[in-house]
Amino acid sequence: MTTHAAASTPLGFGSMRRKEDARFLRGAGRYLDDIVLPGMLHAAILRSPYAHARIVSVDTSAAEAHPKVEAVITGETLAGLGLAWMPTLSHDVQAVLATDKVRFQGQEVAFVVAEDRYAARDALGLIEVEYEPLPAVVDATHALDPDAPVIRDDLHRTDNHIFDWEAGDAAATDEVFSRADVVAECDLLYPRSHPAPMETCGSIASMDPVSGKLTVHTTTQAPHAHRTVYALVAGIPEHKIQVIAPDIGGGFGNKVGIYPGYVCAVVGSIVTGRPVKWVEDRSENLMSTSFARDYHMHGEIAATKDGTLLGVRVKVLADHGAFNGTAQPSKLPAGLFHVFSGSYDLRAAHCSVTGVYTNKCPGGVAYACSFRITEAVYLIERLVDVLARDQGWDPAELRMKNLIRPEQFPYRTALGWEYDSGNYPKTLRTALDLAGYAELRREQAEKRARGELMGIGVSFFTEAVGAGPRKHMDILGLGMADGAELRVHPTGKAVLRLSCMTQGQGHQTTFAQIVAEELGISPDDVEVVQGDTDQTPFGLGTYGSRSTPVSGAATALVARKVRERARIVASAMLEVAPSDLEFVKGRFEVRGDPAASASMAEIAMAAHSALELPEGVEGHLDATCVYNPPNLTYPCGAYVCVVDVDPGTGQVTVRRFVAVDDCGVRINPMVVEGQIHGGLADGIGMALMEALAFDPDGNHLGASFMDYLLPTALECPSWELGETVTPSPHHPIGAKGVGESATVGSPPAVVNAVLDAIGVRHADMPLTPAQVWRAMQGRPLRTDLSVT
Amino acid sequence: MQVPAQFEYERATSVAHAVALLQRYGPESRLLAGGHSLIPMMKLRLANPETLIDINGLDELRTISLEGGELRLGALVRHAELMASAVAGEHFPMFRDAERVIADPVVRNRGTVGGSLCQADPNEDLSAVFTALRAVAVIEGVDGRRTVPVREFHVGPYQTVVGDTEILVEIRVSVRPGGGSAYTKVERRAGDWAVAAAGAALWLEGERVADVGLGLTAVGADHFGAPQAEEFLRGAPATEENFAEAGRIAAEHCRPVADQRGPEDYKRHLAGELTARSLRRAAARARGREA
């Protein structure tokens, strides 16, 4: 494992220990469930045991009679307030509490507010709900069958169809395929998975009846978006809503949207006049909060007989669950999936995506997937391997031959994206060299001759992160630009206020480093404030690896504004023209007379002092900025995974994992490597063990950590990391974004390695021992359904 | 956070006291040992005992000793203690094989040998280990102690012969020379329950199998056993072919059920494969060729 020494504090970019760690490592983090407000009540949610059933009656009288119960809220209660349904992030509606039907197992039916958590849970058992069970739509491939039960009769639908969407040039793509020497096709399922952050979701709503102000402490990656949505849904004036995200124990997209429990907590506080805390338990998190993936893909790739890739086309059936609650830019119902032409110079590409309702939990983008780039990269990287296998080509060579060349940047893809920068062949070469690819292939051949199964998997990914340009991307009509405010106090210490929200990414450190780089002060002298909407500027939050590309750019630019103000103040202090000053390592020096200079701290004091400032220049030292990204940033990476497979049991051991990432300029290499380590572990989880399956009745088969497996250190090899650095040309500091790179890039590397080991063309994830063994028998399992 | 329903709590100060408490609180009371199955079940409200009788203070149930040619394991011996025990590991290396793959260190530090047996989860590992070793369970009640062969201890999933007012106090295993043992498990991930597992204890006379015990986990084997395979091997040459055939017989007689850990055919395949592997390793150990 490569490691960067992280001892001293750099005055800018470089590995330094995370400022937040002293607090977290001492157990002094303050998470939602640590917060206790005076008079606070506790809530619990009654959930549907059925995947699809009509609600005949709900009797809450016994629960209401419980001595510690303060309120029982049902769908009927909410309907009276006009709050039984709430908008989703995809222009659909979702039941807050069910009124007519339940549409997935675990759906919210009633909300109990009580003196303590135990009483709230006990009271759930006192609520009597009569259900009339209905047949459930479980297998997405049958959701559009003519006789499929209709899930969304509330919308007067007559089938389970949500949308059809396409991208690329269908005719041009068909033309390329018709003239291609070779075509490989493959059906691939990217199974439904779950972000499963260590901290589950929750909220404390506190409506102050005197001031009329609603304060919501909540586990959110996007506090400002939450505030606006509360205003729109509940009709509370937005200036009377304060959303506060405390420390967040992991998000991975799970904490972007608003869940019914949050709305119920608000209603509960209004009804009782007291703060109401609701925190879901692990099973609730796995059953009812935003899932990820669930893409059934039929992909095809076309090439010439000499191994030049020509085009890709894909048909996707997207399982969106019972309500279309996907979190993504409004105009893009498949998110950014249409980067699936990947890292290759293709003539044409086309996709058509059909979204369907099923009797499963809503959600859809969560889990570090960069708005469905995870699915896109898996598709192309599997297709390339399938083609290579069919034709007897080396998969690494095939990739190298077809990668977009450095001189082609900025590169416009067949699907309309403009990749900003990269040196793909160099990145792949670095990874292959680090892995010792040729030597590995020799070792594999020797082992195979002895009956041992060893596999080598390669993947190359291009990410598209930093959503996004306002004219192209919005969520619920809110543009995806981020604000930043920087204030330098009289003594030269600074406070930076941001709209994004860390969930473990290390923002307290890395954003302070950006300010430090621009102002030449220590990162230790910069306080980063996030999460409290009353204290921070507007912006859409942290997900999709957008913090560094968007808020990071805003931070650099706001710091530069402050620096230019400091120049004017310094010019008054030193009695020279601003243009005569040079900024050197945190000081403004008079050109040609470096002895005449002022430090940022001296300038800050002067800016707040009685010093006469030039006409039209205000005092103090601060600035604000809103950054509207001109384009996304496009990190890339090349991964090589080496596995050993036990031929008698199908067990996979990941022996080595080489990851070469190019995320542009690295603000804090140690933090970047930590992000990559986490994403690689995620990829091993996806590839080998994680999936949410459902039985024919729609029962959720992964509702605990005994059933939904997350990888542990024992499944992870010692990571071997490398890097190339191709700065983003349009980002102020050349940074890209890296949060999801490894999650996006690693699953196909692991899958390619396992299938390479067992000599099988394709089998769907997760490649559990059973799936590997069945794949070796030529009978792989459907991993989205119950195993029979 | 998942929270259990209300319950009463008593702390036993001796085995006799625990038995008396069981009598007082009746069948809706449960003994609390390591609690790593019971407490989660209570939090999920799958178990709702009215009273918990905590026996963690009964130090007399925490010993591991070699007495009268028997290895004696107190019911409250923690998994971690069994894994670390030199005497248990020396005579029966399969204990270490199994304990290494039972759950994780946190669970092993607290979970107990007796608790595992009494929970009687069909996927639990030690039941197969003790089955292979033909261990004997010592159960204490109002009328004193009785012994039950482990092969008669389980009467079904989550059901044992231990009565409502009885406590499992000890497990005994005869120590015989010339033996080797091994346990092999396939899991989807470290700490997961077994997809399938097999344990084998083998005693050799020369190159012949003098005696053999087999135990199977998570494949629906009657009493966790594979008696037909044992019958086949007993007296037969300790060869690779015979181990494979014993595996085939074991696989034929078990009744695995498909779940998300694997389909029936795969689990049946594993029953055979893992039986053969454990036999191979047990034989190597009996021959002193592997630690």
Side-chain angles (χ1 to χ4, degrees):
Chain A
M1 190 189 304
T2 51
T3 50
H4 285 265
S8 61
T9 302
L11 279 184
F13 300 162
S15 289
M16 64 175 275
R17 288 186 180 148
R18 304 197 322 163
K19 292 167 66 178
E20 46 269 76
D21 282 347
R23 194 158 55 84
F24 288 131
L25 293 175
R26 290 181 177 121
R30 191 162 186 258
Y31 298 92
L32 181 83
D33 216 9
D34 295 322
I35 296 170
V36 177
L37 299 182
M40 188 174 78
L41 298 169
H42 297 265
I45 291 178
L46 183 71
R47 295 178 181 278
S48 167
Y50 296 104
H52 200 193
R54 198 164 299 289
I55 295 178
V56 179
S57 64
V58 182
D59 181 354
T60 60
S61 53
E64 280 165 25
H66 188 293
K68 287 186 169 178
V69 168
E70 293 291 322
V72 180
I73 296 163
T74 63
E76 201 177 332
T77 324
L78 294 182
L81 300 166
L83 290 174
W85 296 83
M86 64 178 187
T88 69
L89 294 175
S90 290
H91 302 286
D92 193 357
V93 290
Q94 173 176 357
V96 177
L97 294 175
T99 48
D100 52 342
K101 287 202 307 191
V102 287
R103 292 174 171 85
F104 68 93
Q105 189 189 44
Q107 187 180 336
E108 299 80 1
V109 174
F111 189 79
V112 172
V113 182
E115 290 294 335
D116 60 56
R117 192 169 286 188
Y118 290 84
R121 176 64 185 81
D122 289 347
L124 297 185
L126 300 173
I127 299 173
E128 287 187 28
V129 183
E130 191 186 334
Y131 295 99
E132 178 192 323
L134 300 168
V137 180
V138 176
D139 184 344
T141 64
H142 291 293
L144 297 179
D145 287 357
D147 59 345
V150 176
I151 298 167
R152 297 303 301 277
D153 39 354
D154 60 298
L155 300 175
H156 309 291
R157 293 296 180 95
T158 53
D159 60 25
N160 296 313
H161 180 265
I162 309 176
F163 65 84
D164 288 317
W165 182 79
E166 53 186 304
D169 186 330
T173 307
D174 290 347
E175 168 70 13
V176 159
F177 271 80
S178 68
R179 288 189 289 105
D181 300 327
V182 290
V183 171
E185 57 184 305
C186 190
D187 286 310
L188 309 123
L189 167 66
Y190 206 132
R192 179 175 278 237
S193 61
H194 200 279
M198 282 301 115
E199 180 201 33
T200 59
C201 301
S203 175
I204 304 168
S206 180
M207 173 59 96
D208 184 330
V210 178
S211 67
K213 184 164 183 176
L214 172 68
T215 305
V216 183
H217 291 81
T218 189
T219 53
T220 177
Q221 301 174 224
H224 291 276
H226 276 216
R227 185 191 62 202
T228 303
V229 172
Y230 283 126
L232 295 172
V233 172
I236 301 167
E238 197 168 0
H239 66 298
K240 292 289 189 183
I241 303 172
Q242 181 181 13
V243 173
I244 303 172
D247 286 328
I248 305 290
F252 315 108
N254 194 227
K255 294 169 180 168
V256 173
I258 288 186
Y259 294 118
Y262 302 174
V263 177
C264 288
V266 171
V267 174
S269 180
I270 292 171
V271 168
T272 62
R274 294 164 67 179
V276 172
K277 177 191 275 189
W278 171 73
V279 180
E280 66 186 5
D281 66 31
R282 179 58 60 192
S283 295
E284 292 180 291
N285 180 255
L286 287 167
M287 289 180 81
S288 70
T289 63
S290 196
F291 70 96
R293 330 276 199 257
D294 218 341
Y295 259 30
H296 297 254
M297 301 180 275
H298 176 76
E300 295 172 276
I301 187 164
T304 63
K305 59 180 179 296
D306 72 340
T308 300
L309 301 180
L310 299 172
V312 182
R313 62 186 173 198
V314 56
K315 284 191 167 61
V316 179
L317 180 69
D319 184 339
H320 281 231
F323 308 100
N324 185 18
T326 297
Q328 69 216 342
S330 297
K331 294 158 197 152
L332 303 171
L336 312 187
F337 177 74
H338 55 305
V339 295
F340 66 85
S341 60
S343 314
Y344 309 106
D345 185 18
L346 302 182
R347 291 186 200 161
H350 179 259
C351 71
S352 59
V353 182
T354 297
V356 295
Y357 290 119
T358 60
N359 287 114
K360 300 177 194 171
C361 169
V365 151
Y367 204 169
C369 75
S370 276
F371 297 118
R372 298 214 188 269
I373 296 176
T374 322
E375 291 92 321
V377 167
Y378 182 69
L379 171 81
I380 183 73
E381 291 305 296
R382 274 272 58 234
L383 284 178
V384 168
D385 254 44
V386 165
L387 175 69
R389 182 182 186 277
D390 287 355
Q391 300 301 323
W393 295 332
D394 180 89
E397 279 174 30
L398 180 59
R399 285 178 171 84
M400 187 64 89
K401 181 182 170 73
N402 288 283
L403 287 174
I404 298 162
R405 296 184 308 280
E407 64 272 18
Q408 289 178 285
F409 288 95
Y411 177 84
R412 182 162 288 277
T413 75
L415 292 149
W417 301 87
E418 189 174 294
Y419 292 180
D420 60 348
S421 65
N423 187 338
Y424 293 179
K426 181 181 173 190
T427 306
L428 179 56
R429 178 53 55 207
T430 305
L432 295 176
D433 288 349
L434 196 53
Y437 184 75
E439 181 52 39
L440 286 170
R441 285 289 176 206
R442 271 193 293 278
E443 182 191 350
Q444 180 185 36
E446 287 168 20
K447 289 211 152 131
R448 210 166 262 173
R450 295 200 298 268
E452 294 173 36
L453 301 180
M454 166 187 169
I456 304 151
V458 178
S459 73
F460 197 102
F461 67 89
T462 297
E463 261 269 67
V465 303
R470 291 171 70 147
K471 63 175 186 252
H472 299 310
M473 294 183 190
D474 68 271
I475 290 182
L476 288 180
L478 300 169
M480 302 187 80
D482 282 1
E485 296 175 8
L486 178 62
R487 193 180 299 168
V488 183
H489 299 315
T491 55
K493 315 292 183 188
V495 59
L496 173 71
R497 299 173 189 279
L498 297 172
S499 60
C500 58
M501 180 61 210
T502 189
Q503 310 126 43
Q505 292 91 338
H507 288 181
Q508 302 295 330
T509 305
T510 52
F511 283 87
Q513 286 183 270
I514 297 174
V515 173
E517 176 82 13
E518 298 295 337
L519 295 187
I521 61 176
S522 169
D524 291 333
D525 290 341
V526 183
E527 185 74 8
V528 177
V529 176
Q530 299 183 304
D532 181 339
T533 56
D534 275 8
Q535 288 199 53
T536 55
F538 188 84
L540 282 193
T542 292
Y543 44 83
S545 303
R546 66 186 298 279
S547 295
T548 294
V550 188
S551 280
T555 299
L557 294 182
V558 82
R560 288 174 192 176
K561 276 190 179 178
V562 165
R563 194 171 68 204
E564 288 315 299
R565 282 180 169 231
R567 177 190 297 274
I568 294 167
V569 175
S571 75
M573 291 167 72
L574 299 168
E575 299 179 332
V576 294
S579 56
D580 289 338
L581 292 171
E582 206 170 7
F583 186 69
V584 184
K585 291 178 197 156
R587 303 182 72 85
F588 275 107
E589 295 175 0
V590 176
R591 245 180 262 275
D593 181 13
S597 72
S599 72
M600 194 55 70
E602 289 163 346
I603 296 167
M605 186 58 83
H608 291 80
S609 73
L611 176 74
E612 194 75 31
L613 293 173
E615 191 81 14
V617 176
E618 297 170 1
H620 302 178
L621 194 53
D622 50 44
T624 66
C625 166
V626 176
Y627 183 74
N628 176 29
N631 188 6
L632 301 179
T633 65
Y634 297 83
C636 69
Y639 292 174
V640 181
C641 177
V642 183
V643 302
D644 295 299
V645 177
D646 184 326
T649 64
Q651 284 173 295
V652 174
T653 305
V654 179
R655 190 206 304 175
R656 290 180 64 196
F657 204 109
V658 171
V660 175
D661 273 83
D662 190 332
C663 55
V665 172
R666 297 185 173 200
I667 298 161
N668 183 325
M670 181 195 73
V671 168
V672 168
E673 290 181 2
Q675 296 258 35
I676 293 168
H677 289 179
L680 296 178
D682 268 350
I684 286 180
M686 292 289 104
L688 301 184
M689 61 193 79
E690 294 185 44
L692 295 177
F694 294 79
D695 77 6
D697 294 324
N699 290 310
H700 190 290
L701 300 176
S704 82
F705 278 159
M706 282 186 3
D707 306 297
Y708 189 78
L709 300 183
L710 298 178
T712 75
L714 292 177
E715 283 75 44
C716 299
S718 185
W719 313 113
E720 300 170 69
L721 305 190
E723 64 181 290
T724 58
V725 177
T726 318
S728 169
H730 62 80
H731 188 279
I733 57 173
K736 291 185 172 179
V738 75
E740 296 155 312
S741 284
T743 314
V744 164
S746 56
V750 180
V751 172
N752 287 345
V754 174
L755 296 177
D756 180 53
I758 63 177
V760 167
R761 193 170 185 269
H762 180 70
D764 288 327
M765 299 183 283
L767 297 170
T768 60
Q771 176 71 328
V772 171
W773 184 79
R774 283 292 284 271
M776 287 194 286
Q777 316 285 313
R779 295 180 296 126
L781 300 158
R782 268 285 291 268
T783 53
D784 54 337
L785 305 176
S786 52
V787 173
T788 53
Chain B
M1 186 177 73
Q2 286 152 336
V3 291
Q6 191 169 327
F7 58 89
E8 299 297 318
Y9 174 87
E10 291 277 2
R11 194 166 174 82
T13 54
S14 67
V15 173
H17 184 216
V19 170
L21 289 169
L22 283 170
Q23 281 188 295
R24 188 196 308 168
Y25 288 101
E28 294 306 312
S29 61
R30 288 285 297 270
L31 295 176
L32 175 68
H36 273 75
S37 294
L38 181 57
I39 301 290
M41 287 174 73
M42 289 170 63
K43 291 171 81 170
L44 290 165
R45 303 203 177 199
L46 297 171
N48 295 294
E50 289 173 4
T51 308
L52 285 186
I53 299 166
D54 187 345
I55 56 171
N56 281 283
L58 306 186
D59 287 342
E60 65 265 38
L61 301 186
R62 295 191 62 177
T63 56
I64 299 176
S65 63
L66 200 59
E67 281 176 57
E70 286 180 326
L71 179 72
R72 298 186 175 187
L73 304 174
L76 277 183
V77 168
R78 313 278 172 189
H79 290 296
E81 292 167 346
L82 179 55
M83 185 158 82
S85 166
V87 62
E90 179 196 337
H91 292 289
F92 304 107
M94 72 190 300
F95 280 132
R96 280 185 189 159
D97 294 346
E99 287 294 358
R100 260 189 212 120
V101 291
I102 289 176
D104 52 51
V106 176
V107 172
R108 292 199 292 264
N109 284 341
R110 192 78 190 152
T112 67
V113 169
S116 293
L117 269 188
C118 290
Q119 180 68 21
D121 189 310
N123 301 316
E124 190 276 316
D125 296 282
L126 287 185
S127 299
V129 170
F130 286 122
T131 297
L133 294 174
R134 290 196 178 76
V136 170
V138 182
I139 299 166
E140 184 166 330
V142 193
D143 304 325
R145 294 190 167 194
R146 64 184 177 115
T147 58
V148 177
V150 161
R151 292 185 177 205
E152 296 165 20
F153 185 82
H154 299 98
V155 294
Y158 306 100
Q159 289 178 309
T160 72
V161 297
V162 180
D164 285 342
T165 57
E166 288 186 314
I167 301 181
L168 172 68
V169 292
E170 193 171 81
I171 301 115
R172 297 176 180 172
V173 186
S174 290
V175 175
R176 290 181 281 157
S181 65
Y183 186 78
T184 317
K185 172 175 172 174
V186 167
E187 51 191 1
R188 294 174 299 176
R189 187 207 65 192
D192 188 22
W193 294 95
V195 179
L202 200 65
W203 287 266
L204 296 180
E205 279 173 8
E207 280 306 302
R208 223 156 251 292
V209 176
D211 196 10
V212 61
L214 296 171
L216 296 173
T217 302
V219 289
D222 204 21
H223 290 279
F224 299 92
Q228 299 86 350
E230 291 172 348
E231 186 61 30
F232 165 78
L233 272 181
R234 201 171 288 117
T239 61
E240 181 60 33
E241 295 71 31
N242 283 337
F243 294 159
E245 178 61 12
R248 197 196 59 73
I249 296 169
E252 186 184 317
H253 286 88
C254 65
R255 291 190 304 275
V257 176
D259 59 18
Q260 294 313 101
R261 291 192 180 85
E264 184 266 344
D265 59 350
Y266 174 62
K267 292 184 176 187
R268 190 180 295 281
H269 163 78
L270 283 185
E273 176 73 24
L274 301 182
T275 297
R277 287 187 185 194
S278 285
L279 282 166
R280 194 180 303 146
R281 198 157 185 215
R285 284 170 170 168
R287 291 167 181 140
R289 291 190 197 143
E290 196 211 290

